[in-house]
Amino acid sequence: MISRQQVRNFDVPLLLLGVGLAVYGLVVIYSATHFVDYVEDPFYFVKRQSMWLAMGLAGIFVVCLLDYINLYYWSRYIYLFAALLLVLVLIFGEGTARDPDILRWIRLGFIDVQPSEYAKPALILMVAKYLSDKQKYLGNFWNLLPAFLYTLIFMGLIFLQPDLGTSLVFAAILLGCLLVAGIKRSHLMAIIGAGIAFIPVLWQFMGSGQKARLLVFIDRSHDPLGAGYQLLQSIIAVGSGGPWGRGMLEGPQVQGGFIPEQHTDFIFSVLAEELGLIGAILLLLMFFFLIYRILWIGTQAKDTFGTLICTGVAVMLVFQVVVNVGMAIGVMPITGLPLPFFSYGGNALLANFLSLGLVLNVGMRRQKIQF
Amino acid sequence: MQKNVLARFKLLLIMVMACFILLAGRLAHLQVLEHDHYRDRADHNRITRFPDPAPRGKMYDREGEVLVTNRPGFVVSVMDMGDGFDPETVSFLSDTLEMDEEEIWERIRGQSRFMPVKLQEDVSDEVRVKIAEQQWKYSGVSIDAQYVRDYKYRETGGHLFGYISGGIIENQAVLDRWEEMGYDYDNRHVVGQDGLEINWEPFLRGKEGEQLVEINRMGQKVAELDHRKPEPGHDLHLTLDAGLQEAAYQALEEKIEKLQEEADEDEEKPWQGSVVILDPNSGAVLAMVKYPAYDPNLMPEKYMEKYFNAPGSPLYFDAIKQTYPIGSTYKPVTGITALEEGAISDSTTFHCAGAMERAGITKRCLGVHGHSNIYRAMAVSCNIFFYNTGLEAGIDALSHYTQEFGLGKYTGMNDIRGEKRGTVASREYKERRFGERWYPSETMDAAIGQTFHEFTPLQMAVYVSMIANGGVHYRPYLVQEIIDGDGGTVMEAEKEVMHQAGVSEENLEIIQESMNLVTEPGGTGYYPLHELEVEVAAKTGTAQVGRGITPHGLFVSYAPYEEPELAVAAIIEHGSYGSTSAAPVVNDIFEYYFSEDEQNGEEGESSEEGEEQDD
């Protein structure tokens, strides 16, 4: 099933970067959660995340078994299945105890499924297939419309949960793939322009919480009791960490529980407070090499489908990293996007590993002749 | 790979690099250049959120007098400053607050950091000073201003107002009603627990504010960063007449204490009584009293110690929740029934020789009244007349007209919940309850308000209102208007007709006239009310509650007779004769009300003179 050549082509550094980030994340998750009082075991969150990490590795193995070209034919069904899950979450979904009105999970008893995470690789496959089919005809604007439709369906379903941040990831994926697939510059500009024009419409449909978070980004003093409080505490944590950090388990902001959502959305603040600029730059470098490696594999792919898969995965990760880190240091609005591979959250971790598996698969079956 | 695709990849990579460099630059700025500033903020101060409680809505009487308000007080709290609680701090608090150390540990164990835990509310000045002086030694101890509910009238309005306390509401009906009103009940909150406080909780509560404050290492506030102001609760403007309420409570208290002194050792002592006063023209509750009542200022602290086992069950609002046999105060129903059914006319007479026999059973009267028509029979409360009248009318008609006058029916009182329905003596009731058929002798008992008839004091007040106002059952209500923090009207009550009794005006006038004769010379209510200048219509009642047990004393009345302003029902449990127990209480109430009225009138006419007199 797998040739020796393919094994040789398996990109070990990429896998190590992904696993490295996740392990790095486990350390920081421990620091952020070991004291919480609603679970007895201080390793509770670490253990759960490790379990998902193991599933992620198994997922990579499974994804790499078959030539990704099969996925080219299955992409439509994968897309439809993901869409079905997104509809189901709106009907049967549940939110967190804190935000019961935000529908995010389908509870299956033994496990909670968060369909929006799996929708990301599903859309990447669908868009990659479509754009690779139509690559020669992309000069005609009308040929872009189906790709928009695929993307907007997912965005709309996720926006209804409501989860604005995650739905924007899909827009980024589409834009990245369009750019690499080679659409006209004028079209690209028109799309971005239309997107900006759409913001006021979006505003009408946004919940008060989302609006508050965006307003805080524009004006720091807006609602300091709610969203402003989170931002302020996070920035104090990052700034007080300094170049070398407070040391593991030593950050007063983290250990005092001042930072909201510190094992998920604001995990970067924990890292920056306890491990300082050094730890934060290490993280950014790891991400940079991960992205670089994915893009490199994209250039080596044997077909446009593979190239676009790599593009989509890279853009998906970059967007989330930039938004998440930017949010923790006050240069991006608070949108509730997790830090890929790093934040606590099993579904995201598994989906990211599956996406990484797609890239590794493309890399294993790349062209023999390189230029 | 095409060249142009490679070029686009390069563009993408450059964009990624640019983003990462921007992030790294901002990070370096925060963590290197501004590091000292943020380190300082993190080390010396903490930013946390404190709730800012909303003042609960006040309650006013019909004249705008404050009945229930909030006064400033102080609450002592302690909070975990990040490294647990210090045993020394706990021991200091235990000494100062006179609480067991164990109890304090119990309260604070497992609480989140930087969240103050209330230990004692409304502390004395002494405690406040001691804490303020020594606070600097103990981290996490704080003393903050708070609102303390202040019930101006203490026991006098206890059951009406209710009280507030923490604690879970178990009554599902209450929770459902709150939910209907869109009220977000949180069982960690202090909420209304009885009376108006529980019934109007969603309006009274207001909306808690929040303070974003910096606290120092000791847990004290250093600076306020932001403040979301609390929204005060809505005020209730009641139909209540505070003076009348107080007069009623005092009159009951005095009478019951006096009766207790007079009672023989082996007699059932009168422990409690109720008075309900309605405006017969609208159903507005002017006073509603049960003696003894609890002082809401002492609740819930003294619940067990002072009230739970106290005689006269001060926790229970018998005025709406207790049903009684009402004795002769029922006779107006018998009269109107017989008149309506055509069984008698106002000239029909029966002869009373002190006793009568029917179907082998001998029934007695309290006197030997000779021949009397309905006017005289009502005035002297002749049992023989009403036995006969009842028999002529029959039990089915009696049951019907009982309910026509709101007896044995919910009165519709919604502002305070929990009224009892009572029971109406009827064939169906006896069949259902005992599986037995009805006997004519029971009709005779029913005709004088005995057997299975049992009604609440509130129903009696509605009943006498209906006699006064021509048969209209107005829904009794206590909340006239609800006003929000900006002075806007949230809700305004209007009088609501629940039922119009199906009786003729002429017959009702006969009953009114006969009841007026009760307070005339020769009537059973003459002596206790003879000093009053106002014309009163009334009926006394002495309800038998069992062989050898002192009967309940009752009195229903309205005044002035021509243009009724007050409809009053009064009962003293085991008070013996209505004319010697309940009637004197009502006399005191009328005396207060109508003499006050005169004073008001004089003041209105010549206010300057009044001022001079005051000097």
Side-chain angles (χ1 to χ4, degrees), chain A residues 179-180 182 225 233 238-240 242 246 255 258 272 277 288 299 307 329 371, chain B residues 1 8-9 17 20 26 31 35 38-39 43 46-47 49 113-114 212 226:
Chain A
L179 176 74
V180 169
L225 289 169
Q233 294 297 1
V238 173
S240 67
R246 297 271 193 161
Q255 307 302 326
F258 278 102
L277 185 61
F288 182 75
T299 63
T307 303
I329 58 180
F371 56 90
Chain B
M1 188 101 203
R8 291 189 211 115
F9 264 104
M17 278 174 89
F20 276 53
R26 166 76 178 166
Q31 297 197 291
H35 169 227
Y38 287 115
R39 165 76 48 119
D43 284 355
R46 298 271 184 281
I47 293 162
R49 287 184 263 195
R113 298 151 187 233
F114 306 106
L212 185 68
D226 198 66

mmCIF file of all heavy atoms in Angstrom, chain A residues 179-180 182 225 233 238-240 242 246 255 258 272 277 288 299 307 329 371, chain B residues 1 8-9 17 20 26 31 35 38-39 43 46-47 49 113-114 212 226:
data_model
loop_
_atom_site.group_PDB
_atom_site.id
_atom_site.type_symbol
_atom_site.label_atom_id
_atom_site.label_comp_id
_atom_site.label_asym_id
_atom_site.label_seq_id
_atom_site.Cartn_x
_atom_site.Cartn_y
_atom_site.Cartn_z
ATOM 1 N N LEU A 179 -5.959 32.825 -4.180
ATOM 2 C CA LEU A 179 -4.709 33.520 -4.498
ATOM 3 C C LEU A 179 -3.729 32.565 -5.178
ATOM 4 O O LEU A 179 -3.181 32.866 -6.244
ATOM 5 C CB LEU A 179 -4.101 34.085 -3.220
ATOM 6 C CG LEU A 179 -2.731 34.756 -3.367
ATOM 7 C CD1 LEU A 179 -2.894 36.107 -4.046
ATOM 8 C CD2 LEU A 179 -2.049 34.934 -2.018
ATOM 9 N N VAL A 180 -3.542 31.400 -4.559
ATOM 10 C CA VAL A 180 -2.566 30.460 -5.104
ATOM 11 C C VAL A 180 -3.066 29.847 -6.408
ATOM 12 O O VAL A 180 -2.299 29.607 -7.343
ATOM 13 C CB VAL A 180 -2.226 29.378 -4.056
ATOM 14 C CG1 VAL A 180 -1.432 28.244 -4.667
ATOM 15 C CG2 VAL A 180 -1.457 30.011 -2.907
ATOM 16 N N GLY A 182 -4.591 31.230 -8.576
ATOM 17 C CA GLY A 182 -4.301 32.206 -9.605
ATOM 18 C C GLY A 182 -5.508 32.915 -10.177
ATOM 19 O O GLY A 182 -5.799 32.814 -11.363
ATOM 20 N N LEU A 225 -15.675 46.078 32.084
ATOM 21 C CA LEU A 225 -16.065 45.028 33.025
ATOM 22 C C LEU A 225 -16.183 43.681 32.340
ATOM 23 O O LEU A 225 -15.999 42.641 32.935
ATOM 24 C CB LEU A 225 -17.407 45.377 33.668
ATOM 25 C CG LEU A 225 -17.349 46.525 34.656
ATOM 26 C CD1 LEU A 225 -18.734 46.959 35.006
ATOM 27 C CD2 LEU A 225 -16.608 46.107 35.899
ATOM 28 N N GLN A 233 -6.462 42.041 31.557
ATOM 29 C CA GLN A 233 -5.762 41.028 32.347
ATOM 30 C C GLN A 233 -4.748 40.290 31.495
ATOM 31 O O GLN A 233 -3.658 39.940 31.951
ATOM 32 C CB GLN A 233 -6.767 40.035 32.944
ATOM 33 C CG GLN A 233 -7.706 40.624 33.967
ATOM 34 C CD GLN A 233 -6.996 41.143 35.195
ATOM 35 O OE1 GLN A 233 -5.776 41.092 35.305
ATOM 36 N NE2 GLN A 233 -7.757 41.689 36.123
ATOM 37 N N VAL A 238 0.956 39.276 29.899
ATOM 38 C CA VAL A 238 2.014 39.202 28.890
ATOM 39 C C VAL A 238 3.135 40.172 29.255
ATOM 40 O O VAL A 238 4.318 39.800 29.306
ATOM 41 C CB VAL A 238 1.448 39.531 27.490
ATOM 42 C CG1 VAL A 238 2.586 39.626 26.472
ATOM 43 C CG2 VAL A 238 0.444 38.489 27.065
ATOM 44 N N GLY A 239 2.776 41.420 29.551
ATOM 45 C CA GLY A 239 3.779 42.430 29.844
ATOM 46 C C GLY A 239 4.595 42.093 31.074
ATOM 47 O O GLY A 239 5.819 42.243 31.094
ATOM 48 N N SER A 240 3.914 41.574 32.105
ATOM 49 C CA SER A 240 4.641 41.305 33.339
ATOM 50 C C SER A 240 5.537 40.074 33.210
ATOM 51 O O SER A 240 6.425 39.873 34.032
ATOM 52 C CB SER A 240 3.661 41.130 34.504
ATOM 53 O OG SER A 240 2.902 39.959 34.321
ATOM 54 N N GLY A 242 7.752 39.571 30.919
ATOM 55 C CA GLY A 242 9.097 40.064 30.615
ATOM 56 C C GLY A 242 9.875 39.143 29.690
ATOM 57 O O GLY A 242 9.326 38.183 29.156
ATOM 58 N N ARG A 246 8.039 34.493 34.284
ATOM 59 C CA ARG A 246 7.986 34.322 35.735
ATOM 60 C C ARG A 246 8.431 32.925 36.154
ATOM 61 O O ARG A 246 8.587 32.653 37.326
ATOM 62 C CB ARG A 246 6.547 34.514 36.213
ATOM 63 C CG ARG A 246 6.002 35.896 35.968
ATOM 64 C CD ARG A 246 6.322 36.784 37.136
ATOM 65 N NE ARG A 246 5.542 38.006 37.047
ATOM 66 C CZ ARG A 246 5.324 38.814 38.081
ATOM 67 N NH1 ARG A 246 5.817 38.520 39.259
ATOM 68 N NH2 ARG A 246 4.625 39.907 37.932
ATOM 69 N N GLN A 255 -1.853 31.936 37.967
ATOM 70 C CA GLN A 255 -2.147 31.106 39.123
ATOM 71 C C GLN A 255 -3.249 31.725 39.979
ATOM 72 O O GLN A 255 -3.903 31.030 40.744
ATOM 73 C CB GLN A 255 -0.880 30.862 39.946
ATOM 74 C CG GLN A 255 0.285 30.306 39.126
ATOM 75 C CD GLN A 255 -0.049 28.996 38.423
ATOM 76 O OE1 GLN A 255 -0.806 28.178 38.940
ATOM 77 N NE2 GLN A 255 0.480 28.801 37.227
ATOM 78 N N PHE A 258 -6.711 35.095 37.149
ATOM 79 C CA PHE A 258 -7.167 36.389 36.634
ATOM 80 C C PHE A 258 -7.480 36.359 35.147
ATOM 81 O O PHE A 258 -8.228 37.187 34.648
ATOM 82 C CB PHE A 258 -6.104 37.475 36.872
ATOM 83 C CG PHE A 258 -6.141 38.030 38.254
ATOM 84 C CD1 PHE A 258 -5.222 37.645 39.212
ATOM 85 C CD2 PHE A 258 -7.123 38.940 38.609
ATOM 86 C CE1 PHE A 258 -5.278 38.159 40.482
ATOM 87 C CE2 PHE A 258 -7.182 39.462 39.882
ATOM 88 C CZ PHE A 258 -6.257 39.067 40.832
ATOM 89 N N ALA A 272 3.158 33.454 27.767
ATOM 90 C CA ALA A 272 3.958 34.677 27.765
ATOM 91 C C ALA A 272 4.267 35.145 29.181
ATOM 92 O O ALA A 272 5.325 35.704 29.441
ATOM 93 C CB ALA A 272 3.237 35.784 27.003
ATOM 94 N N LEU A 277 9.246 36.302 26.867
ATOM 95 C CA LEU A 277 9.433 36.549 25.442
ATOM 96 C C LEU A 277 10.129 35.355 24.784
ATOM 97 O O LEU A 277 9.783 34.956 23.669
ATOM 98 C CB LEU A 277 10.270 37.822 25.253
ATOM 99 C CG LEU A 277 10.470 38.311 23.818
ATOM 100 C CD1 LEU A 277 9.133 38.651 23.186
ATOM 101 C CD2 LEU A 277 11.386 39.522 23.792
ATOM 102 N N PHE A 288 6.186 29.200 12.589
ATOM 103 C CA PHE A 288 6.673 29.678 11.304
ATOM 104 C C PHE A 288 7.272 28.531 10.489
ATOM 105 O O PHE A 288 6.973 28.361 9.305
ATOM 106 C CB PHE A 288 7.701 30.796 11.484
ATOM 107 C CG PHE A 288 8.181 31.327 10.172
ATOM 108 C CD1 PHE A 288 7.363 32.160 9.416
ATOM 109 C CD2 PHE A 288 9.401 30.946 9.643
ATOM 110 C CE1 PHE A 288 7.767 32.620 8.181
ATOM 111 C CE2 PHE A 288 9.813 31.399 8.406
ATOM 112 C CZ PHE A 288 8.993 32.242 7.669
ATOM 113 N N THR A 299 4.636 23.324 -2.761
ATOM 114 C CA THR A 299 5.339 23.573 -4.027
ATOM 115 C C THR A 299 5.810 22.286 -4.665
ATOM 116 O O THR A 299 6.088 22.244 -5.864
ATOM 117 C CB THR A 299 6.560 24.492 -3.805
ATOM 118 O OG1 THR A 299 7.485 23.820 -2.950
ATOM 119 C CG2 THR A 299 6.148 25.820 -3.188
ATOM 120 N N THR A 307 -1.357 20.873 -4.115
ATOM 121 C CA THR A 307 -0.850 22.216 -3.816
ATOM 122 C C THR A 307 -1.872 23.019 -3.034
ATOM 123 O O THR A 307 -1.560 23.685 -2.042
ATOM 124 C CB THR A 307 -0.542 22.957 -5.138
ATOM 125 O OG1 THR A 307 0.393 22.185 -5.878
ATOM 126 C CG2 THR A 307 0.027 24.331 -4.861
ATOM 127 N N ILE A 329 -2.385 39.892 22.847
ATOM 128 C CA ILE A 329 -1.534 41.060 23.067
ATOM 129 C C ILE A 329 -2.220 42.342 22.591
ATOM 130 O O ILE A 329 -1.594 43.382 22.476
ATOM 131 C CB ILE A 329 -0.153 40.877 22.393
ATOM 132 C CG1 ILE A 329 -0.297 40.629 20.894
ATOM 133 C CG2 ILE A 329 0.605 39.729 23.045
ATOM 134 C CD1 ILE A 329 1.030 40.449 20.188
ATOM 135 N N PHE A 371 12.360 20.354 -9.326
ATOM 136 C CA PHE A 371 13.018 21.384 -10.139
ATOM 137 C C PHE A 371 13.665 22.433 -9.254
ATOM 138 O O PHE A 371 13.345 22.545 -8.072
ATOM 139 C CB PHE A 371 12.027 22.070 -11.103
ATOM 140 C CG PHE A 371 10.828 22.679 -10.430
ATOM 141 C CD1 PHE A 371 10.835 23.982 -9.976
ATOM 142 C CD2 PHE A 371 9.671 21.915 -10.230
ATOM 143 C CE1 PHE A 371 9.732 24.533 -9.361
ATOM 144 C CE2 PHE A 371 8.579 22.446 -9.608
ATOM 145 C CZ PHE A 371 8.599 23.758 -9.171
ATOM 146 N N MET B 1 5.754 22.244 -11.453
ATOM 147 C CA MET B 1 5.220 23.433 -10.783
ATOM 148 C C MET B 1 5.451 24.664 -11.639
ATOM 149 O O MET B 1 6.570 24.923 -12.081
ATOM 150 C CB MET B 1 5.973 23.600 -9.455
ATOM 151 C CG MET B 1 5.409 24.660 -8.571
ATOM 152 S SD MET B 1 4.406 23.937 -7.274
ATOM 153 C CE MET B 1 3.377 25.274 -6.842
ATOM 154 N N ARG B 8 3.417 33.051 -6.341
ATOM 155 C CA ARG B 8 2.311 33.317 -5.408
ATOM 156 C C ARG B 8 2.600 32.716 -4.035
ATOM 157 O O ARG B 8 2.218 33.257 -3.011
ATOM 158 C CB ARG B 8 1.008 32.744 -5.967
ATOM 159 C CG ARG B 8 0.531 33.499 -7.187
ATOM 160 C CD ARG B 8 -0.861 33.069 -7.599
ATOM 161 N NE ARG B 8 -0.990 33.188 -9.040
ATOM 162 C CZ ARG B 8 -1.163 32.169 -9.862
ATOM 163 N NH1 ARG B 8 -1.268 30.950 -9.392
ATOM 164 N NH2 ARG B 8 -1.252 32.365 -11.153
ATOM 165 N N PHE B 9 3.246 31.570 -4.024
ATOM 166 C CA PHE B 9 3.649 30.983 -2.750
ATOM 167 C C PHE B 9 4.590 31.911 -2.015
ATOM 168 O O PHE B 9 4.505 32.075 -0.794
ATOM 169 C CB PHE B 9 4.325 29.624 -2.967
ATOM 170 C CG PHE B 9 3.369 28.483 -2.799
ATOM 171 C CD1 PHE B 9 2.865 27.797 -3.888
ATOM 172 C CD2 PHE B 9 2.962 28.106 -1.525
ATOM 173 C CE1 PHE B 9 1.979 26.750 -3.714
ATOM 174 C CE2 PHE B 9 2.071 27.062 -1.358
ATOM 175 C CZ PHE B 9 1.569 26.378 -2.449
ATOM 176 N N MET B 17 5.334 35.922 7.009
ATOM 177 C CA MET B 17 6.472 36.458 7.748
ATOM 178 C C MET B 17 6.151 37.836 8.318
ATOM 179 O O MET B 17 6.467 38.129 9.481
ATOM 180 C CB MET B 17 7.706 36.558 6.835
ATOM 181 C CG MET B 17 8.439 35.252 6.696
ATOM 182 S SD MET B 17 9.765 35.389 5.479
ATOM 183 C CE MET B 17 11.084 35.939 6.540
ATOM 184 N N PHE B 20 4.031 37.534 11.388
ATOM 185 C CA PHE B 20 4.772 37.018 12.546
ATOM 186 C C PHE B 20 5.720 38.068 13.099
ATOM 187 O O PHE B 20 5.908 38.186 14.305
ATOM 188 C CB PHE B 20 5.527 35.727 12.170
ATOM 189 C CG PHE B 20 4.643 34.502 12.267
ATOM 190 C CD1 PHE B 20 3.424 34.445 11.613
ATOM 191 C CD2 PHE B 20 5.038 33.399 13.030
ATOM 192 C CE1 PHE B 20 2.612 33.328 11.712
ATOM 193 C CE2 PHE B 20 4.226 32.284 13.132
ATOM 194 C CZ PHE B 20 3.014 32.240 12.467
ATOM 195 N N ARG B 26 5.347 43.481 18.599
ATOM 196 C CA ARG B 26 4.426 43.908 19.655
ATOM 197 C C ARG B 26 4.752 43.183 20.969
ATOM 198 O O ARG B 26 4.708 43.779 22.050
ATOM 199 C CB ARG B 26 2.992 43.602 19.197
ATOM 200 C CG ARG B 26 1.941 43.674 20.259
ATOM 201 C CD ARG B 26 1.564 45.094 20.635
ATOM 202 N NE ARG B 26 0.493 45.077 21.632
ATOM 203 C CZ ARG B 26 0.109 46.095 22.357
ATOM 204 N NH1 ARG B 26 0.695 47.276 22.174
ATOM 205 N NH2 ARG B 26 -0.859 45.975 23.237
ATOM 206 N N GLN B 31 6.838 43.090 26.421
ATOM 207 C CA GLN B 31 7.571 42.281 27.398
ATOM 208 C C GLN B 31 8.953 42.851 27.728
ATOM 209 O O GLN B 31 9.555 42.444 28.714
ATOM 210 C CB GLN B 31 7.707 40.848 26.885
ATOM 211 C CG GLN B 31 6.337 40.195 26.742
ATOM 212 C CD GLN B 31 6.433 38.702 26.645
ATOM 213 O OE1 GLN B 31 6.930 38.184 25.647
ATOM 214 N NE2 GLN B 31 5.976 38.000 27.662
ATOM 215 N N HIS B 35 7.736 46.287 30.169
ATOM 216 C CA HIS B 35 7.726 45.206 31.153
ATOM 217 C C HIS B 35 7.583 45.711 32.591
ATOM 218 O O HIS B 35 6.776 45.207 33.361
ATOM 219 C CB HIS B 35 9.011 44.380 31.003
ATOM 220 C CG HIS B 35 9.231 43.430 32.118
ATOM 221 N ND1 HIS B 35 10.428 43.289 32.754
ATOM 222 C CD2 HIS B 35 8.384 42.582 32.741
ATOM 223 C CE1 HIS B 35 10.313 42.389 33.720
ATOM 224 N NE2 HIS B 35 9.080 41.946 33.718
ATOM 225 N N TYR B 38 4.050 46.789 33.555
ATOM 226 C CA TYR B 38 3.085 45.703 33.750
ATOM 227 C C TYR B 38 3.463 44.810 34.927
ATOM 228 O O TYR B 38 2.598 44.294 35.630
ATOM 229 C CB TYR B 38 2.935 44.879 32.465
ATOM 230 C CG TYR B 38 2.164 45.617 31.407
ATOM 231 C CD1 TYR B 38 2.759 46.006 30.201
ATOM 232 C CD2 TYR B 38 0.830 45.947 31.603
ATOM 233 C CE1 TYR B 38 2.044 46.696 29.234
ATOM 234 C CE2 TYR B 38 0.106 46.640 30.645
ATOM 235 C CZ TYR B 38 0.719 47.012 29.468
ATOM 236 O OH TYR B 38 0.008 47.687 28.525
ATOM 237 N N ARG B 39 4.769 44.645 35.147
ATOM 238 C CA ARG B 39 5.196 43.850 36.302
ATOM 239 C C ARG B 39 4.666 44.509 37.576
ATOM 240 O O ARG B 39 4.162 43.862 38.474
ATOM 241 C CB ARG B 39 6.722 43.753 36.288
ATOM 242 C CG ARG B 39 7.406 43.280 37.553
ATOM 243 C CD ARG B 39 7.322 41.784 37.829
ATOM 244 N NE ARG B 39 7.634 40.911 36.730
ATOM 245 C CZ ARG B 39 8.635 40.023 36.745
ATOM 246 N NH1 ARG B 39 9.479 39.961 37.756
ATOM 247 N NH2 ARG B 39 8.804 39.203 35.751
ATOM 248 N N ASP B 43 2.142 42.886 40.234
ATOM 249 C CA ASP B 43 2.611 42.547 41.575
ATOM 250 C C ASP B 43 1.857 43.282 42.669
ATOM 251 O O ASP B 43 1.544 42.720 43.709
ATOM 252 C CB ASP B 43 4.097 42.885 41.705
ATOM 253 C CG ASP B 43 4.932 41.846 40.993
ATOM 254 O OD1 ASP B 43 4.327 40.865 40.516
ATOM 255 O OD2 ASP B 43 6.149 42.017 40.901
ATOM 256 N N ARG B 46 -4.272 44.024 41.935
ATOM 257 C CA ARG B 46 -5.058 43.027 41.225
ATOM 258 C C ARG B 46 -6.314 43.725 40.758
ATOM 259 O O ARG B 46 -6.843 44.587 41.454
ATOM 260 C CB ARG B 46 -5.480 41.904 42.173
ATOM 261 C CG ARG B 46 -4.365 41.169 42.758
ATOM 262 C CD ARG B 46 -3.977 40.009 41.854
ATOM 263 N NE ARG B 46 -2.947 39.215 42.471
ATOM 264 C CZ ARG B 46 -1.676 39.559 42.486
ATOM 265 N NH1 ARG B 46 -1.303 40.684 41.922
ATOM 266 N NH2 ARG B 46 -0.800 38.815 43.073
ATOM 267 N N ILE B 47 -6.755 43.332 39.642
ATOM 268 C CA ILE B 47 -8.009 43.913 39.178
ATOM 269 C C ILE B 47 -9.066 42.834 39.295
ATOM 270 O O ILE B 47 -8.888 41.721 38.828
ATOM 271 C CB ILE B 47 -7.859 44.398 37.735
ATOM 272 C CG1 ILE B 47 -6.897 45.569 37.747
ATOM 273 C CG2 ILE B 47 -9.210 44.817 37.170
ATOM 274 C CD1 ILE B 47 -6.318 45.885 36.434
ATOM 275 N N ARG B 49 -13.514 42.037 40.107
ATOM 276 C CA ARG B 49 -14.865 42.578 40.011
ATOM 277 C C ARG B 49 -15.610 42.348 41.305
ATOM 278 O O ARG B 49 -15.580 41.255 41.857
ATOM 279 C CB ARG B 49 -15.619 41.884 38.870
ATOM 280 C CG ARG B 49 -15.142 42.337 37.526
ATOM 281 C CD ARG B 49 -15.964 41.714 36.458
ATOM 282 N NE ARG B 49 -15.306 40.531 35.937
ATOM 283 C CZ ARG B 49 -15.649 39.957 34.811
ATOM 284 N NH1 ARG B 49 -16.645 40.414 34.114
ATOM 285 N NH2 ARG B 49 -15.014 38.886 34.397
ATOM 286 N N ARG B 113 -10.771 32.171 44.600
ATOM 287 C CA ARG B 113 -9.866 33.244 45.024
ATOM 288 C C ARG B 113 -10.426 34.594 44.609
ATOM 289 O O ARG B 113 -11.108 34.699 43.588
ATOM 290 C CB ARG B 113 -8.520 33.073 44.311
ATOM 291 C CG ARG B 113 -7.843 31.787 44.642
ATOM 292 C CD ARG B 113 -6.985 31.384 43.464
ATOM 293 N NE ARG B 113 -6.473 30.052 43.724
ATOM 294 C CZ ARG B 113 -5.187 29.753 43.672
ATOM 295 N NH1 ARG B 113 -4.305 30.648 43.333
ATOM 296 N NH2 ARG B 113 -4.791 28.539 43.935
ATOM 297 N N PHE B 114 -10.087 35.575 45.361
ATOM 298 C CA PHE B 114 -10.418 36.977 45.063
ATOM 299 C C PHE B 114 -11.917 37.217 44.973
ATOM 300 O O PHE B 114 -12.363 38.151 44.338
ATOM 301 C CB PHE B 114 -9.719 37.445 43.776
ATOM 302 C CG PHE B 114 -8.241 37.227 43.822
ATOM 303 C CD1 PHE B 114 -7.652 36.210 43.086
ATOM 304 C CD2 PHE B 114 -7.452 38.021 44.630
ATOM 305 C CE1 PHE B 114 -6.293 35.994 43.154
ATOM 306 C CE2 PHE B 114 -6.079 37.812 44.695
ATOM 307 C CZ PHE B 114 -5.494 36.793 43.956
ATOM 308 N N LEU B 212 -15.408 47.433 38.799
ATOM 309 C CA LEU B 212 -14.119 46.881 38.428
ATOM 310 C C LEU B 212 -13.107 47.645 39.269
ATOM 311 O O LEU B 212 -12.958 48.852 39.117
ATOM 312 C CB LEU B 212 -13.869 47.106 36.943
ATOM 313 C CG LEU B 212 -12.605 46.466 36.391
ATOM 314 C CD1 LEU B 212 -12.730 44.958 36.415
ATOM 315 C CD2 LEU B 212 -12.362 46.926 34.974
ATOM 316 N N ASP B 226 -13.814 51.028 36.899
ATOM 317 C CA ASP B 226 -15.066 51.256 36.199
ATOM 318 C C ASP B 226 -16.205 50.825 37.090
ATOM 319 O O ASP B 226 -16.018 50.058 38.024
ATOM 320 C CB ASP B 226 -15.120 50.477 34.891
ATOM 321 C CG ASP B 226 -16.181 51.047 33.981
ATOM 322 O OD1 ASP B 226 -16.026 52.185 33.544
ATOM 323 O OD2 ASP B 226 -17.184 50.355 33.729
#
